[in-house]
Amino acid sequence: MTGTKTNQSMAGKIVMVTGANSGIGKITALELAKMGATVTMVCRSRDKGEEALREIKESIGGGSLELMVADLSSQSEIRTLAEEFQKKHDRLDVLVNNAGVFVRQPSMTRDGIETTFAVNHLAYFLLTSLLLDLLKRSAPSRIVNVSSRAHTSATMNFDDLQGEREYGGWRAYCQSKLANILFTNELARRLEGSGVTVNCLHPGVIATGLFRVLPKILELPLRIFLSSPETGAETSVYLASSPDVEGVTGKYFIKKRAVASSPESQNAESARRLWEVSERLTGLIPA
Ligand SMILES: NC(=O)c1ccc[n+]([C@@H]2O[C@H](COP(=O)([O-])OP(=O)(O)OC[C@H]3O[C@@H](n4cnc5c(N)ncnc54)[C@H](OP(=O)(O)O)[C@@H]3O)[C@@H](O)[C@H]2O)c1
């Protein structure tokens, strides 16, 4: 593993990165730890998490990192994660919601929610909501949501949000990435004046494990066009750490530049509606 070069310091900052055992999340954790941050790596597998932690420490010659194990498809595990984190830490400077899945066939979490929607959107929503008071107390603080350019081909199908009538893996993925942007925009609006910023990004088209479920015949040609996880992590690291984006909120970034996201993702009514549905589906307000 080789990290991107940076000269900014994150010393004294406490950072949480989800999905930190592989791909973009692993390099994000590595880079931020290299800049002096104390990094909590959230991983669903203890074995994979420990291996990644060891590799990162070896690669940077130390660093302050810890592992917290949580399956983010489970809302009770997200609640336990948020509680345990707050027992250990009295601040959180940066939350990077990065964990994501691409699921070809319809599947349900143990909470009875379609898996793509649960992991890619509701986990971002619930974890952030549970840590929001801590982030506010730690202001100026930052939330970074890893979305995708795939959002551009999606609309929010509020009549069949979880693909119960008709499921398509790619459609579910694109909709979940659109949800990341709508969530970012609505949260930025709600956090105005709090000192907590929230931005989202497209990392590029990156050689990670994300599309491992694709048939090899599709995956292999795709790999020729892919960038490295190091390139994929650059915008996450930038949004988490750079003074350039201090105070910047509610934006969508590609290659460290704020760009326009799709018209659908800028629909304030959709963002409000998604927020309300998400509150109910996560039990933050009664269903
Ligand atoms: N790769 C791309 O081209 C691309 C493009 C646009 C956006 N993105 C976004 O980038 C983010 C990172 O993906 P990646 O490309 O780095 O893929 P990846 O290598 O597959 O990493 C995904 C991470 O999420 C974790 N994860 C998945 N389900 C989880 C769950 N239920 N609980 C906890 N952790 C879970 C994975 O853990 P396991 O190892 O245990 O599965 C893994 O650590 C995702 O949000 C993805 O949508 C990627």
Side-chain angles (χ1 to χ4, degrees):
M1 274 189 301
T2 55
T4 46
K5 295 268 183 300
T6 174
N7 54 16
Q8 300 151 36
S9 176
M10 287 288 281
K13 303 282 186 194
I14 309 246
V15 176
M16 178 186 279
V17 181
T18 69
N21 60 282
S22 75
I24 296 162
K26 183 175 174 184
I27 303 297
T28 303
L30 178 152
E31 288 300 331
L32 293 170
K34 208 160 83 180
M35 292 159 75
T38 296
V39 179
T40 297
M41 298 167 62
V42 177
C43 305
R44 78 171 138 181
S45 148
R46 179 166 300 281
D47 286 353
K48 285 196 215 169
E50 280 173 355
E51 195 184 330
L53 183 68
R54 199 180 53 248
E55 274 182 43
I56 293 176
K57 285 197 166 192
E58 265 172 35
S59 157
I60 64 175
S64 175
L65 299 111
E66 67 170 355
L67 170 65
M68 292 189 78
V69 176
D71 181 342
L72 300 172
S73 70
S74 159
Q75 293 185 8
S76 70
E77 292 200 25
I78 295 174
R79 287 176 196 281
T80 305
L81 167 68
E83 273 169 30
E84 293 300 316
F85 181 84
Q86 290 177 90
K87 279 185 202 156
K88 289 184 181 176
H89 300 284
D90 59 5
R91 60 181 299 110
L92 176 59
D93 298 283
V94 184
L95 169 62
V96 184
N97 287 307
N98 165 83
V101 281
F102 174 75
V103 185
R104 275 179 82 196
Q105 301 298 332
S107 79
M108 291 281 182
T109 67
R110 73 177 91 134
D111 299 323
I113 294 172
E114 188 280 308
T115 304
T116 313
F117 190 66
V119 175
N120 291 10
H121 167 60
L122 288 179
Y124 284 28
F125 179 85
L126 181 59
L127 184 60
T128 304
S129 299
L130 296 171
L131 294 174
L132 207 50
D133 284 343
L134 183 61
L135 283 155
K136 284 180 186 167
R137 289 200 299 278
S138 312
S141 54
R142 302 178 183 194
I143 301 161
V144 178
N145 293 324
V146 181
S147 175
S148 170
R149 190 180 257 153
H151 82 275
T152 51
S153 58
T155 52
M156 291 308 295
N157 186 357
F158 283 104
D159 295 331
D160 189 23
L161 212 43
Q162 299 185 51
E164 286 157 302
R165 284 207 286 276
E166 196 186 354
Y167 183 84
W170 180 241
R171 192 169 40 203
Y173 179 77
C174 294
Q175 181 183 256
S176 73
K177 295 288 121 183
L178 171 60
N180 296 157
I181 304 181
L182 291 169
F183 168 53
T184 300
N185 292 344
E186 179 67 15
L187 184 59
R189 195 182 66 73
R190 288 172 184 247
L191 285 173
E192 244 169 60
S194 69
V196 186
T197 61
V198 52
N199 292 293
C200 60
L201 67 118
H202 168 63
V205 184
I206 309 300
T208 66
L210 189 69
F211 300 109
R212 61 172 89 76
V213 293
L214 287 177
K216 284 282 167 272
I217 194 160
L218 287 179
E219 196 197 344
L220 292 177
L222 195 67
R223 289 206 167 263
I224 299 167
F225 302 102
L226 303 183
S227 304
S228 68
E230 283 74 14
T231 302
E234 281 176 3
T235 303
S236 293
V237 172
Y238 173 75
L239 290 175
S241 63
S242 174
D244 296 355
V245 283
E246 211 170 286
V248 174
T249 193
K251 305 280 185 216
Y252 168 70
F253 286 76
I254 301 180
K255 292 187 179 167
K256 304 189 202 172
R257 289 184 49 196
V259 296
S261 55
S262 71
E264 176 70 24
S265 72
Q266 293 171 42
N267 184 325
E269 175 53 25
S270 284
R272 189 194 54 73
R273 196 169 167 192
L274 177 65
W275 186 280
E276 288 172 5
V277 172
S278 306
E279 277 182 321
R280 283 198 295 277
L281 288 173
T282 53
L284 290 180
I285 59 164

